[in-house]
């Protein structure tokens, strides 16, 4: 639609500064109100079947019946709109529906502020300062609570039958206990899958009092109940009993300990001045061509550092059964399963979102915010960069398992 120069000149005839155009009493706001009222009037005309300046048919009982003032909250602040009425109350406008109090994606704006980690009080203050809107805490809660329905659908959605890789990890968040009112560190379990197209997909999140193999078993059963039939490789941290929990639900899955977790754990045992050299020598272990060479490199590491740092080699030995599968994979696959960086990047997004909160009043409050952080994470890009090179290798691995 093109607005003629003459109309623009007439509209702008009284505008002398930015406030006259964009201010709370400016032209743009007044124009928005007038246009909306004009559209509402047109809707009522269609509903009644006669124009405002004319009389309805004598047999028609339903007629225009004045207006009702409604204040809508939107990006431009509060908009006072006169909504036309009909006599028998059958008119239901499409532009501004009955009961509607917000426009211009105000719900999305509240959700966006909530996702950024702002508290209900902060959101209310922001809307008041920037838009001049006074919203209640109850309104903010209702808008954000609507996310829980979306969370439920997402958490119970059907999954792919097979995932080449699933990264499993847990992080801690502070949540207030409903009975004792004490703040506790609870475990947030996260499963991040890589599907056959090489796209990252968060399979679910679960909150429990503590991280443990028993709860991980319930997570694995949840994935199976939602349609997952097979996982080629599960990449995990060194939690005791974790491999058994995975294999109880998926007996053929190869469980791989995150190499980076082991390296970080090893470096915790040594002094700062030795860290660089220790890391360099450990590199010979996990970059070995096969498990025999890795065993040899670990023995050489023990000879070099075992006396000074006796706890490092035993930590590798305890996890060795979940380390050596790594050496059976070709370099293309190793690059992807070498670390849980994929899920750690997700955890960074979650921590960044939750750190401003201090603690959450309930599990549901934490779930809402973490889900929104996950949604933001997935929008940032889902493709695994190394997937093209590894795809054929995964196809071979799956074929070998299928033909067993």
């Amino acid at each position: 639609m093109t607005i003629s120069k003459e109309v623009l000149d007439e509209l702008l005839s009284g505008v002398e500064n930015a406030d006259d155009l964009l201010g709370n009493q400016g032209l743009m706001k007044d124009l928005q109100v007038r246009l909306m009222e004009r559209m509402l009037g047109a809707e009522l005309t269609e509903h009644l079947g006669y124009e405002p300046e004319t009389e309805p048919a004598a047999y028609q009982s339903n007629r225009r019946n004045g207006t009702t003032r409604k204040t809508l909250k939107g990006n431009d602040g509060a908009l006072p709109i006169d909504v036309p009425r009909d006599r028998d109350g059958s008119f239901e406008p499409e532009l501004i529906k009955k009961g509607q109090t917000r426009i211009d994606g105000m719900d999305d704006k509240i959700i966006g502020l909530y996702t950024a980690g702002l508290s209900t009080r902060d959101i209310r203050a922001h809307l008041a300062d920037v838009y001049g809107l006074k919203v209640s805490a109850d309104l903010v809660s209702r808008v954000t609570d609507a996310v829980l329905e979306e969370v439920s659908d997402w958490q119970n959605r059907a999954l792919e039958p097979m995932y080449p890789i699933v990264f499993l990890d847990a992080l801690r968040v502070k949540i207030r206990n409903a009975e004792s009112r004490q703040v506790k560190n609870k475990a947030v379990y996260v499963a991040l899958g890589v599907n056959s197209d090489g796209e990252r997909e968060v399979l679910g999140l679960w909150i429990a009092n503590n991280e443990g193999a028993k709860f991980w078993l319930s997570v694995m059963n949840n994935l199976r109940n939602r349609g997952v039939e097979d996982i080629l490789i599960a990449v995990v941290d060194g939690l005791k009993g974790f491999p058994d929990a995975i294999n109880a639900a998926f007996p053929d899955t190869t469980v791989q300990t995150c190499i980076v977790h082991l390296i970080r754990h090893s470096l915790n045992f040594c002094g700062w001045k030795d860290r660089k050299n220790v890391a360099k020598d450990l590199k010979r272990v996990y970059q070995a061509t096969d498990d025999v060479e890795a065993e040899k490199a670990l023995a050489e590491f023990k000879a070099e550092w075992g006396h000074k740092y006796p706890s490092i080699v035993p930590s590798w030995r305890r996890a060795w059964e979940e380390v050596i599968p790594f050496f059976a994979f070709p370099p293309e696959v190793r690059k992807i399963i070498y670390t849980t960086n994929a899920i750690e990047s997700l955890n960074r997004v979650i921590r960044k979102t939750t750190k401003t909160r201090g603690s959450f009043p309930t599990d549901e409050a934490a779930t809402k915010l973490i889900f929104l952080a996950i949604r933001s994470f997935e929008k940032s890009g889902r493709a695994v960069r190394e997937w093209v090179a590894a795809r054929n290798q995964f196809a071979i691995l799956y074929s070998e398992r299928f033909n067993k």
Side-chain angles (χ1 to χ4, degrees), residues 162-166 193-198 230-234 337 387 394:
M162 193 278 290
Y163 287 89
I165 309 174
V166 173
V194 178
N195 64 26
S196 56
D197 294 323
D230 196 11
I231 297 170
L232 290 182
I233 305 169
I337 66 171
W387 191 255
F394 278 111

Side-chain angles (χ1 to χ4, degrees), residues 44-45 47-50 54-68 83-92 98:
L44 181 59
T45 294
H47 176 71
L48 294 175
Y50 73 94
T54 62
E55 290 292 324
Y59 60 83
Q60 181 172 336
S61 60
N62 193 21
R63 307 182 179 208
R64 285 179 167 80
N65 190 31
T67 61
T68 298
V83 180
R85 300 178 304 189
D86 60 341
R87 190 171 291 178
D88 65 11
S90 60
F91 175 51
E92 296 188 5
K98 287 186 175 181

Side-chain angles (χ1 to χ4, degrees), residues 200-390:
R200 299 177 302 175
E201 177 187 354
V202 182
L203 307 183
L205 72 94
W206 303 263
I207 296 178
N209 287 328
N210 296 291
E211 183 182 8
K214 184 177 180 181
F215 193 87
W216 272 120
L217 176 59
S218 70
V219 169
M220 305 313 295
N221 286 329
N222 177 277
L223 299 181
R224 177 171 283 282
N225 292 337
R226 290 162 59 198
V228 180
E229 298 172 4
D230 196 11
I231 297 170
L232 290 182
I233 305 169
V235 184
V236 302
D237 60 17
L239 179 69
K240 186 178 180 180
F242 206 161
D244 293 337
I246 295 171
N247 290 140
F250 300 97
D252 296 325
T253 296
T254 298
V255 181
Q256 174 65 52
T257 291
C258 171
I259 301 298
V260 170
H261 268 80
L262 275 174
I263 296 169
R264 289 175 181 167
H265 182 66
S266 300
L267 295 180
N268 287 336
F269 292 114
C270 65
W272 283 99
K273 65 178 182 178
D274 291 329
R275 284 194 167 200
K276 185 175 181 180
N277 290 328
V278 168
K280 181 180 177 181
D281 288 347
L282 283 174
K283 199 171 186 179
R284 295 205 297 267
V285 178
Y286 62 81
Q287 287 193 345
T289 55
D290 55 36
D291 57 336
V292 175
E293 289 298 315
E295 183 80 42
K296 181 180 177 182
L298 189 61
E300 292 173 352
F301 180 90
K302 181 178 180 181
E304 176 70 22
W305 296 101
H307 179 70
K308 191 171 185 179
Y309 302 117
S311 299
I312 293 179
V313 171
S315 69
W316 282 72
R317 291 291 184 198
R318 287 191 295 271
W320 198 245
E321 288 302 313
E322 283 74 51
V323 172
I324 55 177
F326 181 78
F327 302 109
F329 298 118
E332 296 86 354
V333 176
R334 287 193 192 187
K335 285 183 179 180
I336 300 176
I337 66 171
Y338 162 75
T339 174
T340 54
N341 274 352
I343 200 165
E344 286 180 355
S345 63
L346 169 61
N347 288 347
R348 281 194 295 273
V349 172
I350 294 173
R351 289 191 182 99
K352 183 180 179 181
T353 304
T354 58
K355 69 178 182 180
T356 58
R357 289 302 183 91
S359 64
F360 292 91
T362 62
D363 288 3
E364 289 75 17
T367 298
K368 284 191 297 185
L369 190 58
I370 294 170
F371 168 73
L372 291 170
I374 289 172
R375 193 168 68 177
S376 176
F377 167 81
E378 291 190 326
K379 287 180 180 178
S380 66
R382 300 177 62 179
V384 175
R385 286 180 298 176
E386 300 88 352
W387 191 255
V388 174

